[in-house]
Amino acid sequence: PVYSPQLHVYPGASTYSYLFSNDVPPFDDPLVRGAFSSALDRPRVIRETLTGDELPALTLTPPNHFGHVDGYTAGIGRPYSPTLAQNLLAASGYTGDPPITLMFNTSPFHPDFAAWVRQIWFETLGISVTLEDRDWNSYLDLLRDGLAAERPGIFRMGWRSDYPDANNWHREAFGWWRPLNRYDNPAYDALVDAAAGETDPAARLA
C-alpha cells in the first residue's frame, strides 16, 4: 500500500535474434542468408507466439534508443517477402542439402518459438529445418570453438539494453556475437568505431 503507487513498469529494451553462421554451408552464400531473412514473417511470429506487444525488428537497436532506425519506414533490412525469398533461394541453387540446423539454448520458451519460425520457413521456402537445443555452457563452447562442420547454420542470441544507445548494440552486443557467427566487415568496424569516438551528436547519429 505504501510503495505500490511508486512502482512504474516499462517495456524492456531487448532484441531476440537468430544469427547465421557465415562459414557454415549453405549460409556462406549471401543469397541463402537473404532468402531466409526475407522468408521470416516477423509480425506473424509475434502475433501467434508472443503477447502481441512486441515489435518486429529489421534493425538491431530498439526504439527510444539514440541511433535507432525503424527498418520498415527507412527501407533498411529485409521485411517479409515470399516472392523475393523464393527468387533468392532459386538463384542460390540451394535445394536442401546440406541440411540446416536451428540451435538454441535450453529454455521453456525457445522451442515453441523456433517451431513457429521453422514452420514459416517451410511454408515459404519448402526447406525443412532441424531444431536442436543445448545447455548454455555447451552451446557457447560449440559456437565459439566448434568446427564449421559441427556448428549450426542458424542459432539464437538475445541482448537486453545496458544503456539507451546504439553503441551498446552495434559495438558491444554485436561485437560479442561476431566471433560466434564469423562475421567480418572492416567497413562496419570503421563506422562503429568512428561513432564511438564522435562527440558531435548529429555526426554521431549519421
Side-chain angles (χ1 to χ4, degrees):
V2 176
Y3 295 111
S4 61
Q6 300 177 35
L7 174 65
H8 299 276
V9 179
Y10 299 95
S14 59
T15 300
Y16 192 98
S17 308
Y18 286 143
L19 279 70
F20 300 120
S21 297
N22 284 263
D23 63 337
V24 174
F27 296 105
D28 54 347
D29 184 345
L31 293 174
V32 178
R33 297 197 299 268
F36 273 75
S37 291
S38 300
L40 182 55
D41 188 347
R42 294 163 181 83
R44 177 182 167 188
V45 173
I46 289 173
R47 190 170 60 248
E48 296 182 349
T49 68
L50 303 175
T51 67
D53 295 326
E54 299 81 4
L55 299 174
L58 296 180
T59 57
L60 196 56
T61 304
N64 302 317
H65 284 45
F66 183 89
H68 164 72
V69 176
D70 184 338
Y72 287 94
T73 58
I76 294 172
R78 291 191 176 274
Y80 179 57
S81 174
T83 300
L84 176 60
Q86 292 158 10
N87 289 342
L88 288 169
L89 191 68
S92 76
Y94 178 72
T95 57
D97 187 41
I100 292 171
T101 297
L102 166 57
M103 187 177 289
F104 43 88
N105 56 297
T106 304
S107 160
F109 170 75
H110 300 326
D112 290 343
F113 191 87
W116 273 103
V117 171
R118 175 178 63 179
Q119 178 63 27
I120 293 173
W121 277 334
F122 182 77
E123 292 173 5
T124 306
L125 298 174
I127 300 294
S128 182
V129 174
T130 300
L131 305 183
E132 183 179 338
D133 72 300
R134 288 195 176 213
D135 70 88
W136 181 245
N137 289 332
S138 66
Y139 182 66
L140 287 184
D141 287 344
L142 175 65
L143 295 175
R144 267 195 308 254
D145 304 323
L147 300 174
E150 302 169 325
R151 288 184 280 106
I154 312 169
F155 61 94
R156 189 210 75 85
M157 276 289 150
W159 188 267
R160 184 173 292 277
S161 179
D162 296 312
Y163 54 93
D165 192 286
N167 184 74
N168 187 220
W169 299 85
H170 285 277
R171 203 160 193 253
E172 296 175 18
F174 200 53
W176 188 71
W177 295 344
R178 288 175 57 180
L180 307 181
N181 76 334
R182 279 49 173 191
Y183 177 81
D184 184 32
N185 187 332
Y188 176 90
D189 292 342
L191 285 168
V192 171
D193 288 344
E198 178 59 62
T199 58
D200 177 67
R204 187 164 171 266
L205 183 63

